[in-house]
C-alpha cells in the first residue's frame, strides 16, 4: 500500500514541483494539499499542469490538516514551517523545503533571518562530503526530520566540497557568482520579478554578504573539513524561469595540480546517480538540467591566479529543492534513492 503524503504550500513553485515528482512516485500517494491564501481553491486552478492531481482541493495549512499522514513535505516561507512541525507526530517523516531547520547556529539564524529559532534537522543533501570521509546520506537513513538545503547552497556545496574535503583548496578566499532564475524567489507578485523588468536584463541582489544562504554554505564547507570559511557570494537574477549556473573559485593549496583536482572530484562523485563531473574542457549548461534531479559540474584551473574554477548547473526547483526532498525521503524510508526521480533533463 502506498504511503500517504501531504504537501504544504502546494500552490507555490516548490510545492508544484514536489507534486509533479510525487505524482509519478510508485510508493507515495498524495492525499492532502494545503495553502494559505489559496485554501479552498481546486489544485488544478493553482497548478494547471498537474492534470493527474486534478481531484485534489487545497485546504488550509495547519497541523490538523497535515497530521495523520506517513510523509509530510513542507514548501513554506521561512518562519512558517517551524510553527507547524512541532505539532506533528514524531513518527511522521517530515521534510522541510524551507529554511527553518537548516542552520545549526542560532546566531546565524538571528543575523540572516530573525524570529524564532526552531533548531536544526538532519540535512537533506545526500551527496555532501563530510570531513570524516563519509557522505551526508549516512545521516539521513532512518531519520524522521529532514531539512532540504537552499538551492544556491546546493550548487556551491556540491561544486566545491570535494576540494575542501581533500585539502586541495583553501577556504579563506572563496568567491561564488550565481546566475539564477526568478522561480527561486517564489510565486508572490513582486515588481522586480515581472517579465517586463526581467526580460533583456540581469541584476544582482543579496550583495555584500547579505544573502541568507551565506551561513549555510559556510556551515557545509566546515562540515567538509574547512575552517575559517570566508565566502563572497553574489547571486545574479537572469531571465530564465528556472535554473542555477554557479561559478565558484578558490585558491589552490601549494603544489596542487589540475590532475589532483580531477582525481578528487572523480572520486567524490563517481558512483553518484545525480551528480556528474564533466570531461576536462567541458562545462555545463543550465538547459541540460531542466526537469532533472541532476547537478552537472565543470572543472578548470586558472594557473595565473592560482585558483580552481568550478562551474555547477542545476535546476533550482528539482535538484535545488523538490528533487532533493524526494531523494532524501527515499533514503530515510529505506527505499531506492533514485525512486521517482530522473537524471534526464528536458530539451529543447
Amino acid at each position: 500500500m502506498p504511503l500517504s503524503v501531504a504537501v504544504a504550500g502546494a500552490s507555490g513553485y516548490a510545492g508544484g514541483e514536489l507534486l509533479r515528482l510525487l505524482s509519478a512516485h510508485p510508493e507515495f500517494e498524495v492525499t492532502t494539499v494545503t495553502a494559505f491564501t489559496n485554501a479552498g481553491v481546486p489544485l488544478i486552478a493553482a497548478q494547471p499542469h498537474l492534470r493527474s492531481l486534478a481531484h485534489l482541493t487545497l485546504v488550509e495549512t495547519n497541523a490538523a490538516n497535515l497530521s495523520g499522514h506517513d510523509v509530510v513535505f513542507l514548501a513554506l516561507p521561512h518562519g512558517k514551517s517551524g510553527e507547524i512541525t512541532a505539532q506533528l507526530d514524531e513518527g511522521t517523516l517530515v521534510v522541510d523545503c524551507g529554511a527553518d531547520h537548516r542552520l545549526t547556529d542560532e546566531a546565524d539564524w538571528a543575523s540572516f533571518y530573525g524570529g524564532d529559532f526552531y533548531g536544526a534537522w538532519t540535512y537533506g543533501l545526500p551527496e555532501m562530503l563530510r570531513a570524516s570521509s563519509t557522505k551526508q546520506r549516512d545521516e539521513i537513513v532512518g531519520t524522521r526530520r529532514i531539512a532540504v538545503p537552499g538551492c544556491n547552497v546546493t550548487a556551491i556545496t556540491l561544486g566545491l566540497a570535494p576540494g575542501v574535503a581533500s585539502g586541495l583548496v583553501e577556504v579563506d578566499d572563496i568567491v561564488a557568482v550565481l546566475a539564477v532564475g526568478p522561480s527561486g524567489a517564489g510565486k508572490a507578485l513582486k515588481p522586480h520579478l515581472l517579465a517586463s523588468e526581467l526580460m533583456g536584463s540581469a541584476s544582482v541582489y543579496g550583495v555584500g554578504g547579505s544573502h541568507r544562504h551565506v551561513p549555510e554554505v559556510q556551515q557545509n564547507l566546515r562540515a567538509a573539513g574547512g575552517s575559517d570559511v570566508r565566502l563572497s557570494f553574489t547571486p545574479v537574477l537572469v531571465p530564465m524561469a528556472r535554473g542555477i549556473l554557479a561559478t565558484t573559485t578558490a585558491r589552490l593549496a601549494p603544489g596542487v595540480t589540475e590532475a589532483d583536482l580531477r582525481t578528487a572530484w572523480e572520486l567524490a562523485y563517481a558512483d553518484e546517480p545525480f551528480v556528474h563531473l564533466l570531461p576536462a574542457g567541458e562545462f555545463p549548461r543550465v538547459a541540460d538540467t531542466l526537469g532533472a534531479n541532476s547537478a552537472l559540474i565543470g572543472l578548470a584551473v586558472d594557473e595565473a591566479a592560482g585558483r580552481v574554477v568550478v562551474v555547477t548547473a542545476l535546476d533550482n526547483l528539482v535538484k535545488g529543492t523538490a528533487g532533493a526532498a524526494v531523494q532524501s525521503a527515499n533514503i530515510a524510508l529505506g527505499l531506492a534513492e533514485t525512486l521517482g526521480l530522473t537524471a534526464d533533463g528536458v530539451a529543447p
Side-chain angles (χ1 to χ4, degrees):
M1 172 178 283
L3 298 172
S4 62
V5 174
V7 175
S11 61
Y13 288 135
E17 196 68 4
L18 274 167
L19 290 169
R20 184 179 73 86
L21 298 177
L22 293 169
S23 67
H25 196 293
E27 298 295 335
F28 293 153
E29 180 182 2
V30 179
T31 57
T32 302
V33 289
T34 82
F36 288 114
T37 57
N38 285 309
V41 173
L43 176 65
I44 199 68
Q47 305 284 11
H49 62 299
L50 299 176
R51 309 310 299 182
S52 66
L53 300 176
H55 59 286
L56 296 174
T57 296
L58 293 160
V59 298
E60 184 180 352
T61 300
N62 56 42
N65 284 331
L66 295 173
S67 295
H69 298 83
D70 297 309
V71 186
V72 174
F73 292 92
L74 303 168
L76 303 173
H78 78 268
K80 297 297 184 182
S81 298
E83 300 173 358
I84 295 171
T85 53
Q87 304 175 60
L88 298 179
D89 186 88
E90 292 183 0
T92 299
L93 174 58
V94 184
V95 184
D96 187 9
C97 294
D100 288 15
H101 300 285
R102 294 171 183 163
L103 297 180
T104 59
D105 191 318
E106 187 172 357
D108 282 342
W109 176 266
S111 297
F112 285 85
Y113 290 92
D116 293 334
F117 179 66
Y118 295 102
W121 285 356
T122 304
Y123 198 63
L125 184 52
E127 303 92 348
M128 186 179 79
L129 287 163
R130 302 183 63 87
S132 58
S133 299
T134 61
K135 290 189 178 179
Q136 183 61 21
R137 66 166 45 84
D138 296 340
E139 305 297 317
I140 299 172
V141 175
T143 189
R144 284 299 176 264
R145 294 292 187 269
I146 297 171
V148 178
C151 52
N152 297 308
V153 179
T154 296
I156 299 172
T157 301
L158 292 178
L160 198 59
V164 176
S166 61
L168 298 179
V169 303
E170 308 287 354
V171 297
D172 60 351
D173 180 20
I174 300 169
V175 178
V177 179
L178 281 68
V180 301
S183 58
K187 225 174 187 179
L189 293 176
K190 301 173 184 177
H192 72 287
L193 300 179
L194 296 174
S196 56
E197 302 290 336
L198 278 171
M199 299 303 292
S201 183
S203 57
V204 297
Y205 64 101
V207 182
S210 63
H211 196 282
R212 288 166 169 162
H213 287 172
V214 168
E216 192 181 341
V217 175
Q218 293 173 316
Q219 176 177 291
N220 291 353
L221 296 183
R222 285 194 297 267
S227 60
D228 192 26
V229 178
R230 300 185 185 184
L231 168 69
S232 176
F233 164 43
T234 306
V236 182
L237 196 63
V238 298
M240 56 184 182
R242 59 165 81 195
I244 294 175
L245 188 71
T247 302
T248 306
T249 77
R251 283 202 309 267
L252 296 174
V256 171
T257 67
E258 184 165 357
D260 295 331
L261 294 170
R262 291 203 67 84
T263 297
W265 264 258
E266 286 169 354
L267 287 173
Y269 297 132
D271 298 323
E272 292 294 345
F274 299 122
V275 183
H276 304 131
L277 177 67
L278 300 184
E282 293 186 18
F283 297 92
R285 307 183 309 163
V286 168
D288 298 327
T289 69
L290 298 185
N293 193 48
S294 295
L296 305 181
I297 298 173
L299 186 66
V301 169
D302 185 335
E303 297 284 358
R307 300 179 74 87
V308 62
V309 180
V310 188
V311 182
T312 307
L314 54 80
D315 185 326
N316 61 295
L317 293 178
V318 189
K319 187 56 180 167
T321 309
V326 173
Q327 184 180 351
S328 296
N330 285 339
I331 295 169
L333 294 166
L335 302 173
E337 184 171 335
T338 58
L339 207 60
L341 299 168
T342 180
D344 295 333
V346 177

